[in-house]
Amino acid sequence: MCWIIVLTKNQTLEKSKFQNAWRNNNDGAGFMYAKDKQLFIEKGFVDFDSFWESYKDIPEDITRIVHFRKISVGDNIADNHHPFYVNNGLGFAHNGTILGIKDYTKDEEKKFSDTYLFNEKILKPLVRRQCNLIHFSKDIQWLISRAILTDKIVFLNKYGKTIIINAEKGHWNTEKTIWTSGLSHTWEPFKQTTHYPASTAGYSNGVSKGSPLGLNKVDDSKVIPYDTWLTK
């Protein structure tokens, strides 16, 4: 499964942590950040060295979102790498597999991932019609959480504000300044909290390693309201 890392302002991780994330999720990498009221996304990296050469020069005094892909749906092409632009002021990265979004009977969709299609079919039209939804109201967050079930999505806007849908299904460090969608035993600063049922989509044997098998369930009380965008 893919791996998202959120580093809030002035937070760093050793290069070895990124290398570990790449070793386990090496089907493409990318990152996004906001600077001077502009949103920047760089992706399409197919080896760790090229990713690191671009990433290491990003200023540390801004929030950075990093994504390492593990293919579950769609080809290994740059279009399927994360993050994605919703528009020029909003981007996102996704962890998991979105069920029911891909029409396998259509040749034009065969090469694309579930996340790419979710963006094209749902998020882009939604934001085009209602530009004020760029900061997603609680109602819209609830709808997105219903669509992605136990998956995680991280949004970043051009002002550097971040929101994580289903954040409690990932892991914060002790200071709650760095968040990751998954957990590795080599990531000492992070502690396992609660195990959540894993989606069986995208796995040939129906089991996601390290997580118990069970039904997808969204806890309404866990949806993060729009006014809690991270500002650190």
Side-chain angles (χ1 to χ4, degrees):
M1 187 170 288
C2 303
W3 210 343
I4 307 171
I5 304 169
V6 178
L7 295 102
T8 58
K9 293 179 181 179
N10 301 314
Q11 301 302 306
T12 60
L13 282 175
E14 301 92 333
K15 181 179 179 180
S16 61
K17 305 296 187 186
F18 292 100
Q19 287 174 315
N20 180 65
W22 170 260
R23 279 195 296 270
N24 291 289
N25 306 272
N26 56 9
D27 294 319
F31 55 85
M32 63 179 169
Y33 61 95
K35 185 179 180 183
D36 301 326
K37 297 181 181 180
Q38 294 185 72
L39 180 67
F40 298 91
I41 291 180
E42 296 186 42
K43 62 180 182 177
F45 302 104
V46 295
D47 63 85
F48 180 81
D49 290 340
S50 61
F51 159 79
W52 187 252
E53 281 302 305
S54 294
Y55 175 80
K56 66 182 178 63
D57 294 327
I58 302 174
E60 294 177 356
D61 61 348
I62 57 177
T63 296
R64 291 134 287 152
I65 315 295
V66 182
H67 187 279
F68 296 98
R69 185 178 183 227
K70 187 72 171 178
I71 290 177
S72 62
V73 176
D75 295 346
N76 190 2
I77 55 176
D79 281 342
N80 289 336
H81 295 174
H82 303 226
F84 295 88
Y85 282 107
V86 180
N87 62 18
N88 60 11
L90 180 67
F92 76 100
H94 166 243
N95 166 230
T97 301
I98 301 172
L99 305 178
I101 196 69
K102 184 169 183 172
D103 187 344
Y104 286 88
T105 67
K106 293 183 177 180
D107 290 340
E108 63 269 27
E109 291 192 12
K110 286 183 178 177
K111 69 179 181 179
F112 293 118
S113 70
D114 54 300
T115 309
Y116 175 93
L117 294 169
F118 184 70
N119 191 31
E120 295 296 317
K121 293 181 178 182
I122 305 296
L123 295 180
K124 284 185 176 182
L126 186 64
V127 172
R128 272 199 301 268
R129 292 186 179 94
Q130 299 288 338
C131 290
N132 61 328
L133 293 179
I134 195 169
H135 290 112
F136 291 125
S137 67
K138 187 175 181 179
D139 292 339
I140 297 301
Q141 289 183 48
W142 182 86
L143 288 173
I144 293 172
S145 72
R146 275 291 189 262
I148 67 173
L149 300 175
T150 58
D151 296 356
K152 283 85 74 178
I153 285 184
V154 180
F155 289 99
L156 178 71
N157 71 11
K158 65 181 180 180
Y159 303 106
K161 302 287 185 68
T162 306
I163 191 165
I164 307 171
I165 294 182
N166 288 339
E168 77 286 351
K169 294 174 175 59
H171 310 276
W172 285 103
N173 64 346
T174 304
E175 295 78 16
K176 291 195 173 183
T177 54
I178 302 174
W179 180 90
T180 177
S181 62
L183 190 71
S184 168
H185 66 279
T186 63
W187 284 50
E188 294 300 333
F190 297 89
K191 296 180 180 179
Q192 183 75 40
T193 52
T194 305
H195 284 286
Y196 290 87
S199 169
T200 60
Y203 294 87
S204 59
N205 62 356
V207 178
S208 174
K209 275 189 177 179
S211 298
L213 195 62
L215 297 175
N216 292 319
K217 183 179 180 182
V218 176
D219 184 345
D220 294 341
S221 67
K222 300 294 187 179
V223 179
I224 305 170
Y226 71 96
D227 55 359
T228 59
W229 285 67
L230 299 175
T231 56
K232 293 181 179 180

